Amino acid sequence: MTVQRRHDPDERGFASDNYAGAHPEILAAIALANGGHQVSYGADVYTERLQEVVRGHFGPTAHTYPVFNGTGANVVALQTMLDRWDAVVCAESAHINVDEGGAPEKVAGIKLLTVPAWDGKLTPELIDRQAWGFEDEHRARPKVVSIAQSTELGTCYTPDEIRAICDHAHDLGMLVYLDGARLANAAATLGVSLREMTTDAGVDVLSLGGTKNGLLFGEAVIVLNEDAVRGMAHLRKTSMQLGSKMRFMSVQFEALLGGDLWLRSAARSNAMTQRLYEAVRHLPGLEIPRPVQANQIFAVLPPAVTERLQKRFRFYTWDEQAGEVRWMTSFDTTEGDVDAFAAAIAQELAAERGQGPAGALTTAEREELVQLRRKVREMEETIEALGKEPGKEPALSANRKTK
């Protein structure tokens, strides 16, 4: 073998569950599916078996289409649910609106009608802010309500909340799409099955996340209502999401969903988030403005604390103006990882309050020192300027000559 390990396998951060490697059971499944020839483009025995596995979770009407990534899943699924003049109602914070590089608009030509939602969750009342003008040819027609479970802000819908959205959307003649990139985390939090939050609640189409829950790669579009989509197979291909060696995508989902790996991994990730939350939530100088319901924590920190922490652990700044950051755990996060990070947070906050190592300055003290130094420089420049006036020699300059 000509390659060598180029990273520390024991290094873990809190930036994203996408940073994690693949679960050992997933790698074992890929190796199992290797060797010999299988028909390409989804006509293999592993993809056939995956259909049965998925129906065991979502019901007999479910049909599964493996794709490469989450953005691809969203773009493909939404295209199949819309006419060219239709639009999607979603939260402002939705992944399709803020984290997909404009792919729904650029690739699929989809108009997004966004609604502010402080917790990332839509309600029938919020949907109504954009669900109007259905017969107005001057306006993109609202056709699909898109929600995420869990949301981009780490919150979870209850099955009843999803059912209320689906009932309301269907009454308006609309469809419901669920972005389930972290659906397993929501199920683990709520203690419900995947079906209770989707099929039984009235969802028409969903994506099921794999990469964020231990897969090497791959997501799945799951159609629950065949009448809600058109041309799925063709659009998957033309959207460049049809894998030729699909057996390696499908066998990962079989390993994930065939037993309880999906739930074990998500529950582990959630538990580590709760461990971190309990360790830091009472620390002075730290605010947690959003509910912690899955595997994400949003916290507000002094900018200087964030800057120092990010030199020690990887995590993202979510809202720079508000000083809000996001911490995320994954299936392979350990208690030791969490405890070390929590200790670092406490240490940096203490230093910011002037309770850190001897001689450590708070941010306010450092800023005051900068201002004082600036004033000293200005005074020195003024004195120097006075000393250059013809016929004058300031006393300070004379004193310097006598020393």
Side-chain angles (χ1 to χ4, degrees):
M1 187 167 66
T2 59
V3 299
Q4 62 183 20
R5 176 169 279 158
R6 303 182 187 280
H7 76 290
D8 179 358
D10 294 322
E11 179 183 344
R12 283 176 288 271
F14 295 84
S16 173
D17 38 14
N18 284 320
Y19 277 43
H23 195 284
E25 293 180 38
I26 298 297
L27 292 177
I30 294 173
L32 181 70
N34 198 23
H37 287 200
Q38 275 287 299
V39 185
S40 57
Y41 297 110
D44 60 89
V45 294
Y46 295 97
T47 303
E48 181 182 4
R49 170 58 182 159
L50 176 61
Q51 300 297 336
E52 299 174 10
V53 170
V54 170
R55 286 177 185 135
H57 284 283
F58 295 94
T61 65
H63 192 89
T64 306
Y65 298 84
V67 295
F68 291 115
N69 53 52
T71 296
N74 291 337
V75 170
V76 169
L78 289 172
Q79 282 186 88
T80 69
M81 303 173 75
L82 299 166
D83 284 317
R84 293 295 293 170
W85 50 87
D86 288 336
V88 175
V89 177
C90 63
E92 280 186 352
S93 57
H95 197 276
I96 57 174
N97 187 48
V98 299
D99 280 315
E100 297 186 358
E105 296 94 336
K106 293 177 181 178
V107 176
I110 296 171
K111 174 68 175 177
L112 301 178
L113 303 173
T114 63
V115 179
W118 76 272
D119 59 355
K121 294 166 62 175
L122 293 182
T123 64
E125 293 74 24
L126 289 176
I127 291 167
D128 283 344
R129 294 188 183 183
Q130 290 287 10
W132 54 272
F134 294 96
E135 301 303 323
D136 183 356
E137 69 268 30
H138 300 286
R139 186 173 192 262
R141 182 180 68 179
K143 183 61 178 179
V144 172
V145 173
S146 179
I147 61 175
Q149 178 76 324
S150 59
T151 72
E152 282 299 292
L153 301 182
T155 52
C156 296
Y157 291 92
T158 66
D160 285 343
E161 288 173 331
I162 296 175
R163 187 176 298 107
I165 287 172
C166 292
D167 289 346
H168 187 66
H170 293 158
D171 287 344
L172 294 172
M174 300 177 69
L175 301 169
V176 176
Y177 172 71
L178 187 146
D179 180 344
R182 297 186 177 95
L183 187 64
N185 296 94
T189 291
L190 298 170
V192 299
S193 68
L194 298 173
R195 176 168 178 159
E196 288 177 80
M197 300 181 292
T198 55
T199 313
D200 293 348
V203 171
D204 296 292
V205 183
L206 70 134
S207 67
L208 179 63
T211 310
K212 293 176 171 60
N213 202 24
L215 266 60
L216 184 62
F217 67 95
E219 313 287 300
V221 175
I222 301 175
V223 177
L224 302 175
N225 174 12
E226 286 290 346
D227 294 332
V229 302
R230 291 179 299 172
M232 175 65 77
H234 297 285
L235 283 167
R236 178 173 58 168
K237 174 63 174 179
T238 58
S239 299
M240 298 168 285
Q241 289 292 317
L242 177 64
S244 59
K245 297 185 179 181
M246 196 179 293
R247 58 171 152 160
F248 298 111
M249 303 167 73
S250 298
V251 76
Q252 294 182 76
F253 276 105
E254 182 183 350
L256 185 70
L257 299 170
D260 66 349
L261 179 59
W262 67 275
L263 185 57
R264 281 189 282 121
S265 294
R268 172 73 182 186
S269 180
N270 289 1
M272 293 301 97
T273 291
Q274 286 299 318
R275 185 182 183 92
L276 178 60
Y277 172 67
E278 292 298 332
V280 303
R281 66 190 182 99
H282 293 306
L283 291 176
L286 181 148
E287 178 189 356
I288 298 177
R290 308 180 193 276
V292 179
Q293 297 177 342
N295 66 326
Q296 303 179 67
I297 297 176
F298 292 85
V300 177
L301 297 169
V305 171
T306 296
E307 184 178 352
R308 295 195 300 271
L309 273 173
Q310 286 177 328
K311 293 178 181 178
R312 302 170 64 177
F313 295 87
R314 287 185 179 272
F315 61 89
Y316 289 120
T317 298
W318 188 259
D319 184 338
E320 190 167 352
Q321 287 188 331
E324 189 174 21
V325 301
R326 185 189 74 173
W327 300 325
M328 181 168 282
T329 56
S330 61
F331 76 89
D332 64 348
T333 304
T334 68
E335 288 87 351
D337 297 330
V338 171
D339 295 346
F341 186 42
I345 295 169
Q347 181 184 43
E348 296 297 350
L349 285 169
E352 192 69 7
R353 298 192 305 272
Q355 299 172 0
L361 298 178
T362 67
T363 298
E365 290 170 336
R366 283 194 293 272
E367 290 177 353
E368 183 179 359
L369 182 59
V370 169
Q371 294 294 330
L372 288 171
R373 287 172 174 167
R374 184 178 294 117
K375 289 180 180 179
V376 169
R377 285 197 303 271
E378 291 173 354
M379 292 174 63
E380 289 177 343
E381 290 170 359
T382 300
I383 292 170
E384 183 178 357
L386 289 172
K388 291 181 180 178
E389 290 185 21
K392 286 192 176 182
E393 184 174 0
L396 180 59
S397 178
N399 287 340
R400 282 177 178 168
K401 284 187 177 181
T402 63
K403 289 183 180 178

